[in-house]
Amino acid sequence: MTYEETLDFLFKQLPVYQIEGGRAYKPGLERTREILAACGRPDRELTALHVAGTNGKGSTSYLLASVLRAAGLRVGLFTSPHIVTYRERIRINGEMIPEEYITRFVEQFLRDLGDHLQPSFFELTTALAFRYFVDEKVDIAVVEVGMGGRLDSTNVLSPLVSVITNVSMDHMQFLGNTLGEIAHEKAGIIKPHTPVVLGRSIDEPVLEVVRAKAAEEQAPLTLADQSDEILSHEEIEGAGYRVETKSFGTIDLPLIGSYQLQNLGTVLETIKLIRDRYGITPEMVREGVARVADFGLSGRLQMIRQSDPRIFIDAGHNIGAWAYLGPQLETWAGDGGLAVVLGMSADKDVDHVLERLPRETHLICTRAHVERAMSGADFAEHARSHGIEPVLVIEDVREAYRAAIDYCRAHSVRTLFVGGSFFVLSDLLSDTDETAQ
């Protein structure tokens, strides 16, 4: 079996939620446990941090992994979805899983279980990650939940700390139609007598559910946003923040967007719970945060070009993410002008996102090459219904990107933003020649 044949099996013969949407969603842990049992229950050997949340769980996971690596540990990181290559999902100290290991694992699965077990793409990928981390003898793994928490494949773990970054409205068709219902699913990762950190506690229905679940499991609860750890911060344009902290000194956070300050607060409170166990010093924390990009983080309000025009990308695709992205785009629109290339999945709350898009922008609606994506033409109709004009439709992401650059140069527009989904970024970044223009 070649690596290309392996990918063909994973993406075309298994149900993939990111591509197909709800038809591929298989909640529950039974199939994951059966796969894990066949490869020696590696989940029982893993020391891990488990990270859930509607937004910020990816950035938080990368930050935690980078700090742990700076402490001299061998650190596994499991995140989703990937942007360019499947191997991005599974890393050790920033290095992606080898193609050969993926192929061997899938071949073994097909020999042992392929005749009678029909897992989802994510279930098999979760088992692959856990087996790889154990085989490669990681000291600790940072594991990001795929969706929800309670019924997510990753919830077979017994972690050192359970982390919930925040809860907002997303995946309502699977997780519930209220903040309380969605919080119930996220809080499902809380384990007996295991510390839990909640990043954003100001939403009362969320706090009520998480606090009740933590009490039920006798799990010590830390509310990161009620901590006095972060004393002050200074924004460094295009480069992130300089953050003064109580316990870790001055931290240079190289991530753009005010929401990253909230993520940093969540990370610091989590590190406090394990720093004695691993001898983590303030210097290690500062180094780990400053070097988070070395672990492979991308697609989170990332600047990919500095001028002519400066270009930012972000995968934010729900109300919670755009509560932060909207004001940032407003700032850019008022500082030299803004063009936006935007495409979203058809099952997302497109209208709430468009409500937060600045009206004084040049919008190009596009469509990623996945089945779930809304057509650019349909997206443009939504935009016009919100009074956004002019709106241009270019269905191909790369063509839309090129047209936006041309527009910015012709009209002296300083900033171009590309986003709306991981799949738009995937279409863009998979062609390195495009982003180098």
Side-chain angles (χ1 to χ4, degrees):
M1 195 176 202
T2 66
Y3 181 62
E4 289 70 25
E5 290 169 337
T6 302
L7 291 182
D8 186 78
F9 169 77
L10 288 169
F11 285 96
K12 296 181 180 177
Q13 297 184 49
L14 298 181
V16 184
Y17 173 79
Q18 278 80 13
I19 296 174
E20 300 178 34
R23 295 199 309 273
Y25 180 52
K26 291 189 174 186
L29 305 178
E30 298 80 9
R31 289 172 301 275
T32 302
R33 288 194 176 110
E34 189 169 353
I35 301 168
L36 290 168
C39 56
R41 287 306 300 258
D43 53 303
R44 293 177 175 171
E45 299 179 56
L46 271 184
T47 301
L49 304 178
H50 200 194
V51 185
T54 305
N55 294 298
K57 62 184 182 291
S59 298
T60 297
S61 296
Y62 271 95
L63 285 165
L64 285 167
S66 188
V67 169
L68 291 165
R69 181 177 67 168
L73 300 174
R74 186 166 171 79
V75 185
L77 176 64
F78 179 46
T79 60
S80 61
H82 63 272
I83 295 179
V84 176
T85 172
Y86 175 75
R87 296 168 55 228
E88 293 170 32
R89 295 168 177 256
I90 304 169
R91 300 175 184 264
I92 295 177
N93 282 6
E95 295 295 320
M96 295 186 288
I97 184 172
E99 294 178 0
E100 296 79 9
Y101 190 97
I102 299 170
T103 297
R104 287 199 308 271
F105 182 88
V106 170
E107 286 176 336
Q108 181 179 345
F109 164 77
L110 290 171
R111 282 196 305 270
D112 296 346
L113 298 172
D115 289 339
H116 74 279
L117 189 65
Q118 296 292 317
S120 71
F121 169 93
F122 190 73
E123 288 169 335
L124 191 59
T125 300
T126 299
L128 164 64
F130 292 177
R131 184 69 261 168
Y132 178 61
F133 292 154
V134 170
D135 285 349
E136 292 297 313
K137 298 180 172 55
V138 301
D139 298 305
I140 188 169
V142 180
V143 176
E144 179 191 3
V145 166
M147 185 198 303
R150 182 175 65 93
L151 299 176
D152 188 76
S153 302
T154 62
N155 203 29
V156 295
L157 292 169
S158 297
L160 291 179
V161 183
S162 303
V163 180
I164 303 172
T165 57
N166 54 60
V167 177
S168 63
M169 304 301 288
D170 198 10
H171 300 300
M172 286 87 79
Q173 66 271 46
F174 308 113
L175 305 181
N177 292 310
T178 68
L179 282 179
E181 289 173 343
I182 297 173
H184 171 72
E185 297 299 322
K186 309 287 186 191
I189 71 166
I190 298 174
K191 301 298 192 302
H193 310 288
T194 300
V196 55
V197 176
L198 176 62
R200 177 184 168 94
S201 67
I202 63 173
D203 301 305
E204 189 58 38
V206 173
L207 178 57
E208 183 179 328
V209 168
V210 172
R211 183 170 272 159
K213 180 63 173 176
E216 176 188 336
E217 300 293 353
Q218 299 181 55
L221 174 61
T222 298
L223 305 178
D225 58 345
Q226 295 188 25
S227 168
D228 61 355
E229 180 57 50
I230 293 181
L231 303 174
S232 64
H233 67 271
E234 173 190 359
E235 185 172 3
I236 304 169
E237 184 179 5
Y241 299 89
R242 178 152 292 157
V243 184
E244 299 297 333
T245 69
K246 184 176 180 181
S247 307
F248 304 101
T250 302
I251 295 176
D252 288 326
L253 176 64
L255 302 177
I256 303 167
S258 60
Y259 60 90
Q260 296 291 4
L261 294 168
Q262 187 178 106
N263 292 335
L264 177 63
T266 303
V267 167
L268 296 181
E269 295 305 318
T270 304
I271 291 298
K272 285 180 185 178
L273 295 171
I274 60 172
R275 60 182 171 183
D276 290 344
R277 178 187 180 112
Y278 292 112
I280 302 173
T281 65
E283 182 180 14
M284 293 168 182
V285 172
R286 294 193 296 270
E287 178 186 348
V289 171
R291 298 184 60 185
V292 64
D294 294 350
F295 221 105
L297 177 64
S298 66
R300 278 77 170 182
L301 211 52
Q302 176 186 359
M303 180 187 280
I304 62 171
R305 187 161 63 192
Q306 295 185 346
S307 63
D308 192 34
R310 63 178 182 177
I311 302 174
F312 295 90
I313 60 173
D314 190 273
H317 51 264
N318 55 43
I319 302 169
W322 276 80
Y324 292 94
L325 282 173
Q328 182 64 71
L329 296 188
E330 289 278 4
T331 299
W332 289 335
D335 180 22
L338 175 70
V340 174
V341 174
L342 208 58
M344 295 188 68
S345 296
D347 57 355
K348 296 301 179 183
D349 193 342
V350 171
D351 291 304
H352 274 93
V353 168
L354 287 168
E355 286 175 3
R356 289 161 173 78
L357 190 68
R359 295 301 175 265
E360 61 279 10
T361 187
H362 178 76
L363 175 63
I364 300 178
C365 297
T366 193
R367 183 186 191 278
H369 287 88
V370 293
E371 188 177 334
R372 288 174 60 201
M374 176 179 288
S375 73
D378 288 347
F379 193 24
E381 286 304 308
H382 282 273
R384 292 185 183 107
S385 74
H386 286 269
I388 300 173
E389 289 285 359
V391 178
L392 185 62
V393 176
I394 302 178
E395 298 286 355
D396 182 81
V397 171
R398 294 176 188 142
E399 290 181 13
Y401 176 76
R402 287 193 293 267
I405 290 175
D406 290 343
Y407 176 86
C408 290
R409 289 172 177 170
H411 296 83
S412 300
V413 172
R414 185 183 184 201
T415 303
L416 169 60
F417 173 81
V418 183
S421 81
F422 279 102
F423 312 114
V424 168
L425 302 191
S426 178
D427 282 3
L428 176 65
L429 297 179
S430 59
D431 187 340
T432 54
D433 290 338
E434 291 291 344
T435 53
Q437 283 190 21

